Amino acid sequence: MLTGPDHLRVALDVIGIFAFAVSGGLVGVRARLDLFGVAVLAWTTGLGGGVVRDVFLGDVPPVGISDPLSVVTVLVAGLVVVAVYPWLAGLRRRNPGLPLRGIGSAVRHLDAVGLAVFAVSGSLKAVQLGAPPLACVFVGGITAVGGGAIRDVLVGQIPEVLRREVYAVPAVLGAAIIVVADRLDVLGAAVIWGTVVLVVAIRVAAIHLNLNIPTPPDQGVRP
Amino acid sequence: MLTGPDHLRVALDVIGIFAFAVSGGLVGVRARLDLFGVAVLAWTTGLGGGVVRDVFLGDVPPVGISDPLSVVTVLVAGLVVVAVYPWLAGLRRRNPGLPLRGIGSAVRHLDAVGLAVFAVSGSLKAVQLGAPPLACVFVGGITAVGGGAIRDVLVGQIPEVLRREVYAVPAVLGAAIIVVADRLDVLGAAVIWGTVVLVVAIRVAAIHLNLNIPTPPDQGVRP
Amino acid sequence: MLTGPDHLRVALDVIGIFAFAVSGGLVGVRARLDLFGVAVLAWTTGLGGGVVRDVFLGDVPPVGISDPLSVVTVLVAGLVVVAVYPWLAGLRRRNPGLPLRGIGSAVRHLDAVGLAVFAVSGSLKAVQLGAPPLACVFVGGITAVGGGAIRDVLVGQIPEVLRREVYAVPAVLGAAIIVVADRLDVLGAAVIWGTVVLVVAIRVAAIHLNLNIPTPPDQGVRP
C-alpha cells in the first residue's frame, strides 16, 4: 500500500502485524483462552483493523482473511506468545530479580511502528480507492486502533484506546496528514515515510513521557 | 433521505444524531473514558446504526464516516457533554435540591425523535436501493437501535435495548409501515411523516407510561 | 448452497439455524433479557455468522436479514424457548428428580449439525463467489462460530468458542476440506456431504469424550 522501497514497506507491515498480534496473544493468554482463542485474539488484533477498513471501503474479501503472509505472521506471533510465555515464567521463577521490562518495552515500541504504518497505509488505501477525505481519515484511524479495540471487547474489557494514553490521536493525525497531502497534490514517498516517522515519534514520546488524554470528571450527576 | 421539506428533514436528522450522541457521550463520561473515548462513544451512538445500515446495503464508505455535517454534529454533542456536565455538577453541589430531571427528560424526548427519524430514513434508504422487504424492515430497526447497542457493548454492558422499555418495537413498526406503504405504492411525504410522528408518539407514550416488554422468567432450569 | 437433494439441504439448514437460535434464546433468558432481547439473541446466534459471511463476501443485503424462511425459523426457535422453558421449570418443580439432560443433549447434537452445515455451506458459498482459498476457509469457520461469538459478547461474556471444547476446529477443518476439494476439482455432492458428516462426527466425539483444546498457562508474567 505504501509507495517506496518494497522490501521496507513489506517489512514494516509485517512488523506492525506481528507486534499487534503479540499483544493480542498475550491478552488471550491472560484471559485464560485456549490455544484456538489465543490464535483468534492474535488474528483479531493484528488484522481486525484492516478487516474493518476493507469492509468500509467495499474491498472484499478483506485482506485480513485472504493474504497468506498476513495470516502466517499472525499465527507465528501467536505461537511465539504461547511458546515464550511459559519459558519467561520459568526464567523469572528461577531468577526472581530478573527484569523483564526490556521485552515489554520492545513490544510497545514495535506496536508504535504498527500504529503508524497501519494509520498511514489505511488512509492511503482509502485515498487510492477515491473515498471522501473525511472517510479517509476515519479509515486510517480505524485501521490503526480497530484491531486492539475488538481484542479488548472479546475479552470483556472496555477498549484501552478509549481510556488512557495518547494512542489514537497520533494515528488520526497521521491519517489526516496523508489526506491533506493528497489534496495538495504532494503525496509522495517523502510525505508518506515522513508521516510514518512522525506518528512513531509522537507515540514513542507519549510512552516515555507517560502522556494521557484528559479524562472528563464524572461527578455523579445523573440528569 | 426522507422526502419533503429539506430543511425539516435535515433538522430532524441533526436532532436525532445530536440526541443519540449526547447519550453516548454521557455513557462515556460515566465509564471514565478519556476525551477521545467520549468522542468515540458519541460517534458510535450517533452514527453507528447508520454505519451498519450502509454496510448491510453495500453503500460504502458509510455516511457516518464520510458526511462532515454528521460528524461535526457528533463532535459538538461530545463537547457539550464534556463542557456542560461539570457545570451541572457544580450547580447541583451549590443547590442540592435542584431538580435536573428536566434535562434528562429533554434528552429522552429528543432521543425519541432520533429513534423515529432513523427507523424511517433507514428503511426508506433500503427501499430506495431495492433491498428485499424483510431486509428493509431489519435495516430500519438496526439504523435506529444499532448505535446504542454498540455503545453499551463498548463499555462492557448488556445493551439496554435488549433488556427493558418499549424502545425497538416502535422503530421496527415504523420501518414495517414504510415497507408496506411502498408495496402498496402509497409511499409519499404524508405516509413518511405520519410514520415518524407515530413512532415518536408510541415511544413518548412508553416513556410516560413506563412501559416494558415482558421479561421471560429464568427459573434456573439448565436442560 | 449445498448441492444435492434440495429437501435434505434445506432441512439441514433449518435444523442448524433452529439449534443455534435455541441456544441463543436460552442464553438470552438466562441473561434476563426481555422478549425482544431474546428474539435478537436467537437471531444473532442463528444467523449472525451468515451475516458476517455475506458482508465479507460482498453479498449484501445479507441472507440473514432478507430470507423469510431463515428469519421465521429463528423466531419460532425463540418462541419455543420462551414457551417451553417455564413449562420445563414447572415440570421439574413437581418432579425434582426429573432428568432433563436429554433435552440439553438433543440441543447439543442439533448444534453439531448446525456447526457442520454452516461451515460447509459458508466455505462453499465463498468458493462459488470466487474468493481466494484462504478467505474461503476463514469464511466457513466464521459462518459456523461467528453467531455464537456475537451472542456471548452481547450478554457480556467472553465467547465460549475461545475458551473451551473442540468446537471451532472441526468447522475450520470442514471448510478447509471443501477448499482443497475445489482446488483438486473433486468438489461434488459426495465430498460435500461426506464433509458434513465428518464435521458432525468429530464434534459429537468431542462432546462425548469431553475433549478440550489445551489452554496455555498464565503464570503471571507481565513482561
Side-chain angles (χ1 to χ4, degrees), chain B residues 15 41 84 91 112 114 136 144 208 214:
Chain B
I15 288 173
L41 238 69
V84 168
L91 208 64
C136 296
H208 286 275

Side-chain angles (χ1 to χ4, degrees), chain C residues 14-27 29 35 38-47 69-85 107 110:
Chain C
V14 166
I15 288 174
I17 294 171
F18 186 86
F20 277 29
V22 164
S23 96
L26 284 171
V27 169
V29 170
L35 286 177
V38 171
V40 168
L41 239 68
W43 173 76
T44 301
T45 315
L47 300 172
L69 177 60
S70 300
V71 171
V72 167
T73 302
V74 156
L75 293 180
V76 169
L79 280 176
V80 166
V81 167
V82 170
V84 169
Y85 201 74
V107 170
L110 290 179

